[in-house]
Amino acid sequence: MKFLKDDWETKSDAGSSLTQQVYKDLLSRFLKNEIMPGKVLNRKAIAQELNVSMAPVREALSRLSMEGFVETLPRKGTIVKAISREDVYGSFILREAIECQAARMYCGAKIQENLDQLYGFAEDVDNSYEDMDLVEHWRLDIGFHDRLIHLSSCKTLEVQFKQVMRVGTFYQINSYLSNDDRREQLSHVDLIERLTTKDPDEAEHTIRDHLKSGKRRFYTTIGDNK
């Protein structure tokens, strides 16, 4: 099975575009809390400040919306998205349900058939945690899991996964996790090795354990409050 370029990959020719420049400028401000959650964004003011036309501003905000950093509300406009603990918990639960079902469908032979490619992707994700910014790490992580779900050959699972997973959402989730939690995240290379099993129950347990790694304290804390 050949993997195609997907929504999570950055276009190679985008670096010099005005849209990319606007995107990077706004993203940097969000991540530095220079533009706080709940702030209404004035597209015209942004265009004037960055000395660009409205078109690249619209395109940049569209991308940021797809990634979960902003949202457009009726009669309010485009605002910087705020994430609550309940939002985080709901995203975790939905992601877990989708990935566990997919693992039951792709474990064994389909993993073996794509083993070399998957190892390469897994190494990229594992290495990215120390080597690059956290947003790029999330992009690689989401893209890796998207490829796994693609192996299930179930379009509905793929679509639902993309709807649940947003880079911005999961970047903000990071603020709820402790350093000890993050360091506990399991290896993606080891995950691939364990998913070669032909036992669907074992595959489901494996992916569930992997998804909860680095977040166990959060699960325990929010569970205690329910």
Side-chain angles (χ1 to χ4, degrees):
M1 180 180 295
K2 183 178 180 181
F3 290 115
L4 303 176
K5 285 184 178 292
D6 55 40
D7 296 340
W8 313 110
E9 295 180 352
T10 304
K11 305 292 188 298
S12 60
D13 62 349
S16 62
S17 71
L18 288 175
T19 297
Q20 183 73 353
Q21 291 176 33
V22 176
Y23 169 85
K24 285 186 175 181
D25 182 273
L26 291 174
L27 179 60
S28 175
R29 296 192 208 182
F30 296 160
L31 302 184
K32 293 176 182 177
N33 288 325
E34 293 175 2
I35 303 179
M36 300 298 291
K39 171 74 174 178
V40 178
L41 300 175
N42 185 314
R43 299 185 180 197
K44 185 176 181 180
I46 293 171
Q48 291 175 341
E49 180 183 353
L50 299 179
N51 195 28
V52 298
S53 67
M54 291 292 290
V57 174
R58 285 194 298 268
E59 292 168 5
L61 288 175
S62 176
R63 178 178 173 186
L64 288 164
S65 178
M66 288 178 62
E67 294 184 346
F69 287 99
V70 302
E71 59 184 340
T72 300
L73 301 177
R75 296 185 296 278
K76 287 188 178 182
T78 301
I79 65 172
V80 182
K81 192 173 181 181
I83 304 296
S84 70
R85 292 182 70 87
E86 288 297 325
D87 292 331
V88 171
Y89 184 71
S91 295
F92 281 171
I93 295 302
L94 287 174
R95 179 185 183 181
E96 186 178 311
I98 292 167
E99 291 218 45
C100 284
Q101 180 56 48
R104 298 184 67 87
M105 300 166 72
Y106 64 62
C107 66
K110 289 186 178 181
I111 294 292
Q112 291 283 3
E113 291 169 7
N114 296 276
L115 206 54
D116 289 342
Q117 266 189 317
L118 290 170
Y119 272 137
F121 293 135
E123 288 174 351
D124 287 344
V125 180
D126 288 341
N127 293 335
S128 71
Y129 189 75
E130 299 294 336
D131 295 344
M132 63 180 67
D133 65 88
L134 195 54
V135 172
E136 188 61 24
H137 171 72
W138 276 114
R139 285 198 183 102
L140 288 171
D141 182 76
I142 293 169
F144 169 80
H145 285 272
D146 185 51
R147 289 181 174 95
L148 284 180
I149 292 173
H150 182 68
L151 293 178
S152 71
S153 299
C154 179
K155 189 65 178 177
T156 299
L157 288 178
E158 287 190 73
V159 170
Q160 292 301 314
F161 179 78
K162 284 184 169 63
Q163 289 180 352
V164 170
M165 301 300 289
R166 294 290 183 269
V167 178
T169 300
F170 282 83
Y171 181 86
Q172 292 189 55
I173 282 172
N174 189 66
S175 65
Y176 292 107
L177 305 178
S178 70
N179 288 330
D180 288 341
D181 287 334
R182 287 190 287 269
R183 281 192 289 267
E184 189 255 347
Q185 186 175 26
L186 297 178
S187 162
H188 291 74
V189 172
D190 290 344
L191 172 65
I192 293 302
E193 293 176 356
R194 295 177 65 192
L195 288 174
T196 58
T197 178
K198 296 179 181 179
D199 182 352
D201 290 339
E202 183 178 345
E204 179 178 342
H205 174 78
T206 293
I207 198 71
R208 192 187 306 277
D209 192 50
H210 175 86
L211 294 176
K212 287 189 174 181
S213 69
K215 310 176 189 72
R216 298 184 195 282
R217 195 168 304 181
F218 175 83
Y219 270 94
T220 300
T221 301
I222 199 164
D224 290 343
N225 293 331
K226 287 187 174 295

